[in-house]
Amino acid sequence: MRTVQRAQKIGPPTTDTELRFQRCTWCSTVVFRTVLLCPTCSSTELRWSRSPGHGTVSSAVEVRRKGQRPRMVAVVELADGVRMRCLVEGVSGGAVTPFGASVSVVEVASDGIPVFRLDPVRGERW
């Protein structure tokens, strides 16, 4: 019996700041949780991909629950074209997350929801 060593790790994220997702090779559907079958076409041809973790805010809403501090839930479009729901840190209470704001991943929470932080604003010259 021979042991095969893989050069690249496959599977779900191995660190708290790594964003990985599965992409179906048949229909290109993106899935952020571990599944055996594509939810769109039921194919088993799913490949793990790594995301750089940078993107822009597409939409955001502040969620308030009794007994908890407000959270900013946003949809972020990653640099590789994938849109995902996540939490955004660094927004003071009552402030609105600007549409198109640049964000970077900080961590992936234990429940699998990524947490992003607003990138510093770069001054533009007119």
Side-chain angles (χ1 to χ4, degrees):
M1 180 177 261
R2 203 166 63 165
T3 304
V4 177
Q5 297 288 333
R6 292 188 183 265
Q8 182 182 8
K9 291 183 178 180
I10 58 172
T14 55
T15 64
D16 291 341
T17 59
E18 184 179 48
L19 275 183
R20 284 187 167 229
F21 56 88
Q22 289 179 296
R23 185 183 300 266
C24 178
T25 59
W26 285 87
C27 67
S28 298
T29 298
V30 174
V31 184
F32 284 97
R33 61 189 188 286
T34 304
V35 295
L36 297 175
L37 298 173
C38 173
T40 303
C41 69
S42 299
S43 170
T44 58
E45 300 288 325
L46 297 164
R47 294 187 188 256
W48 283 99
S49 298
R50 181 178 295 147
S51 174
H54 302 288
T56 56
V57 175
S58 294
S59 65
V61 65
E62 185 178 52
V63 176
R64 295 177 179 260
R65 292 192 176 151
K66 188 175 180 177
Q68 296 180 358
R69 64 185 186 98
R71 301 185 320 168
M72 187 61 66
V73 178
V75 174
V76 169
E77 184 169 352
L78 298 174
D80 39 4
V82 177
R83 287 183 172 215
M84 63 184 304
R85 181 178 56 96
C86 63
L87 299 176
V88 178
E89 286 184 345
V91 180
S92 59
V96 176
T97 303
F99 175 79
S102 179
V103 291
S104 298
V105 70
V106 176
E107 69 175 327
V108 178
S110 59
D111 58 0
I113 297 176
V115 179
F116 284 79
R117 180 168 302 234
L118 290 174
D119 290 338
V121 178
R122 297 180 194 156
E124 294 184 21
R125 301 185 112 180
W126 291 84

